[in-house]
Each structure stands twice: as C-alpha cells, then as structure tokens.
C-alpha cells in the first residue's frame, strides 16, 4: 500500500474507531464471565494460555464500521499494567477498511486448512477468513493482534496470536451459522522472512510465475518471495540486479475490497499499474491482482513491454488463485 493510501486507511480507521469507542457504551468481563466476551466468540482458553493463566479482564464494544456491525474486544491481565493486551475484531467481509494482517503483503499463511495470514515481525498479528452466506460480503473476518513486539514475547505467545484468531473464528462461525470449512488449531506459525533466490529456485509465492525462457529474456537475476499458501495478501518481486523489475501482489476477501476501493479513490497512487480481477468462491470474493513496475508497463530500454506485463500478471494470478482454490 502506498503512503497516500495507507494514510487514507489510517484516517478511516481512526474515525470509525472513535465513533465506536467513545460514542457507545461497553462492557467488562472477568473470571467465569469471560465466555460471554465478544458476544460469546472469544477463545478464552487461548487467551489464558497467552497470559500463562493470569486472572483476565475482557472489554468489548459493538458498533458500525463502513455501514456494517463490527465487534471490538480486548483482553488484559488484571493488575499487570505493563503486560501486553490482546485485541480482536470480528466483522463481515463487507466492512473492509483497514483490515490489519489481512492486507499485509509480508505475511505468511496461517496454514492448517485456513484462509488466513500471520505477521510475526514487530507486533504479532493474524487474520482468518471463513465463508459465511449469512454475513454481508458472504464472509466472516477475524483479526487479532498483541500490543507488544514479538521480541518481547515468548515463542508460545507469538503463536497464540494466530491460535486466538483461528479458535475465535471457530466460535464465531458457529454463532453465525457459517457454512465454510474450518481448519485445525495451528501447532505452530511460520516466521519466515523474505527469501531472495535465483528464479529457478522459486518455491513460494513466486513459483510458476517465470519460465526459464522469460527469466532469461527479461534479465531477471533474482526473485523475492514469502512462503506460498492461502494468505489473504501475497506478493512476489522480480529483480534485475539491484533494481526491482516488477512487484506482483494478489489480494483476497476484505483485503481485495479495500485495495480496489483505495485504487478507485486515489488513482494517482497506482498510476501505471496493471491489474486483473478474478472471481473466487465464498468469502474470498474477488481476487485483485496487481503488477507495479518501474516503467508502468509502457516498454522502452530496460523496461517491461505490455506483452511482458500481461504474461507476468497472468502467470502470477493463475498460480496464486490456484493455491486459494479459485475456479480456473
């Protein structure tokens, strides 16, 4: 996301959050009442594991976000002012702005049968998407985060942020009578950094994007990728020496809705980019795939020709949507 669009999303988030936190009353739950938190969707045992069995306090509010009901919840350890806070959001896919880990291109897939993303650097964040015909946008989105840097948490606590998302999604899906398939509780999280290797060694998000002939013709010397799976946003970068020749990104669900909205609202921020929109099933909705290159795809010395842009955009879209189970 560009600086302009990131600022726009942040302002939208601040405005919406202000309306919820300061315009509506809320509630607090402790002890045995924790099961009622997030309208009964909080994965209480996952929260207790994160805080190593400490006495917990949960707060929650429900309000309107982009015209749709959204739930905000937080869990803290009572009497431990320096301890981190766990934050959750439960919303329909149609309430798409500022979708946290779901929009992060550097995320890794949660895996274990889930459509979901995990960010382990800086503050741990997770996002899970479940098919749900009953909700606007035909999907349920659960976002979680810890208000502490990963380096200040144990490995178990970092993993708990992902498990809090999946197990809260499981309870919320039952509450909303969602029909989408659910994954299993993650036994671990992938903390892989960006991997830069020669094109022929691509095994992650850049796999099947470049043929050997195309890599040679374009002079691609390296690719930068993350692990492949069903992350809600994923990316692949093609490099020619120190120069980035093209950046490819695929967005799904709320992430796609947000990116399409911002691209339409601020067209100057993506001038020269090439995009494709493909139809997926259920909560994944539209797969929005984008290529941004140094030339904007207009050709010329050292630049991508329009035919190159379409070839790369097509191959990346096909590989990414296949991983997500979208129709060919």
């Amino acid at each position: 996301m560009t600086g302009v669009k990131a600022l726009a999303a942040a302002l939208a988030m601040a405005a919406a959050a202000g309306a919820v936190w300061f315009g509506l009353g809320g509630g607090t739950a402790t002890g045995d009442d924790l099961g009622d938190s997030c309208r009964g969707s909080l994965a209480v045992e996952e929260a207790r594991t994160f805080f190593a069995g400490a006495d917990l306090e949960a707060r929650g509010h429900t309000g309107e976000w982009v015209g749709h009901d959204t739930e905000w919840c937080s869990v803290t350890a009572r009497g431990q002012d320096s301890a981190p806070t766990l934050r959750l959001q439960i919303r329909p896919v149609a309430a798409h702005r500022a979708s946290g880990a779901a929009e992060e291109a550097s995320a890794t897939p949660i895996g274990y049968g889930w459509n979901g993303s995990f960010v382990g650097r800086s503050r741990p964040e997770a996002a899970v998407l479940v098919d749900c015909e009953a909700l606007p946008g035909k999907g349920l989105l659960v976002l979680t985060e810890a208000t502490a840097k990963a380096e200040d948490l144990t490995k178990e606590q970092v993993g708990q942020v992902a498990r809090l998302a999946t197990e809260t999604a499981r309870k919320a899906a039952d509450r909303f009578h969602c029909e989408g398939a659910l994954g299993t509780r993650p036994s671990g999280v992938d903390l892989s950094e960006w991997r830069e290797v020669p094109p022929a060694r691509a095994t992650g998000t850049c796999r099947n994007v470049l043929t050997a002939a195309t890599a040679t013709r374009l002079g691609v010397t390296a690719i930068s990728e993350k692990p492949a799976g069903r992350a809600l946003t994923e990316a692949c970068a093609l490099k020619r020496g120190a120069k980035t020749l093209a950046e490819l990104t695929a967005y799904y669900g709320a992430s796609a809705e947000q990116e399409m909205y911002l691209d339409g609202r601020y067209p100057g921020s993506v001038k020269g980019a090439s995009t494709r929109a493909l139809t997926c099933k259920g909560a994944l909705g539209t797969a929005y795939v984008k290529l941004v290159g140094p030339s904007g795809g207009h050709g010329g010395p050292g630049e991508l020709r329009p035919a190159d842009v379409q070839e790369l955009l097509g191959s990346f879209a096909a590989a990414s949507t296949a991983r997500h189970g979208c129709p060919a």
Side-chain angles (χ1 to χ4, degrees), residues 12 31 106 112 126 144 155-157 171 179 182 201-202 204 226 230 243 296 310:
S106 66
Y112 298 91
T144 60
K155 184 178 180 180
E156 177 67 15
Q157 284 179 309
K171 297 188 71 173
E179 76 288 351
L182 304 177
R201 292 177 55 195
K226 295 287 281 192
R230 284 155 53 187
K243 180 180 181 180
Q310 294 308 311

Side-chain angles (χ1 to χ4, degrees), residues 6-302:
L7 176 60
L11 290 174
M13 179 174 67
V20 171
W21 288 108
F22 300 110
L24 298 173
T28 302
T30 60
D32 294 337
D33 294 330
L34 287 172
D36 296 329
S37 300
C38 297
R39 293 190 174 181
S41 294
L42 175 65
V44 176
E45 292 308 314
E46 304 298 346
R48 284 182 171 143
T49 298
F50 179 92
F51 289 105
D55 189 17
L56 302 183
E57 179 176 87
R59 299 179 62 85
H61 302 261
T62 300
E64 185 178 283
W65 183 288
V66 199
H68 300 282
D69 285 346
T70 295
E71 297 166 23
W72 282 261
C73 307
S74 65
V75 184
T76 56
R78 296 187 71 189
Q80 298 182 26
D81 294 339
S82 61
T85 297
L86 291 176
R87 292 177 177 167
L88 300 87
Q89 293 181 38
I90 301 172
R91 62 172 68 169
V93 166
H96 55 79
R97 290 189 191 171
S99 47
E103 68 178 357
E104 180 55 68
S106 66
T108 55
I110 282 183
Y112 298 91
W114 297 93
N115 285 319
S117 299
F118 180 75
V119 179
R121 59 170 174 74
S122 187
R123 298 196 310 185
E125 298 181 357
V128 172
L129 185 64
V130 179
D131 291 351
C132 199
E133 286 282 348
L135 293 177
K138 298 183 179 181
L140 168 71
L141 179 66
V142 175
L143 306 169
T144 60
E145 68 172 336
T147 61
K149 293 182 179 180
E151 62 193 46
D152 297 326
L153 300 172
T154 67
K155 184 178 180 180
E156 177 67 15
Q157 284 179 309
V158 171
Q160 280 304 114
V161 175
R163 288 185 277 270
L164 183 67
T166 63
E167 303 317 296
T168 295
R170 193 184 309 282
K171 297 188 71 173
D174 181 63
R175 188 181 111 210
F176 288 111
H177 306 290
C178 299
E179 76 288 351
L182 304 177
T184 60
R185 180 179 182 270
S187 59
V189 291
D190 192 336
L191 299 176
S192 300
E193 298 291 339
W194 287 98
R195 176 176 180 262
E196 187 168 311
V197 295
R201 292 177 55 195
T203 60
T205 51
C206 290
R207 185 179 181 184
N208 296 328
V209 173
L210 278 170
T211 65
T214 299
T216 299
R217 177 168 53 82
L218 297 180
V220 178
T221 58
I223 56 91
S224 182
E225 64 179 1
K226 295 287 281 192
R230 284 155 53 187
L232 303 180
T233 301
E234 58 180 18
C236 163
L238 311 181
K239 297 190 174 184
R240 181 191 290 158
K243 180 180 181 180
T244 297
L245 186 65
E247 293 181 340
L248 294 144
T249 312
Y251 306 86
Y252 296 88
S255 176
E257 293 300 317
Q258 173 170 277
E259 194 68 12
M260 289 188 290
Y261 166 81
L262 292 172
D263 282 359
R265 181 80 178 270
Y266 305 98
S269 67
V270 287
K271 184 178 180 180
S274 296
T275 63
R276 285 189 184 181
L278 301 92
T279 301
C280 295
K281 296 178 180 179
L284 289 173
T286 298
Y288 187 53
V289 186
K290 182 185 298 186
L291 182 150
V292 178
S295 69
H298 298 298

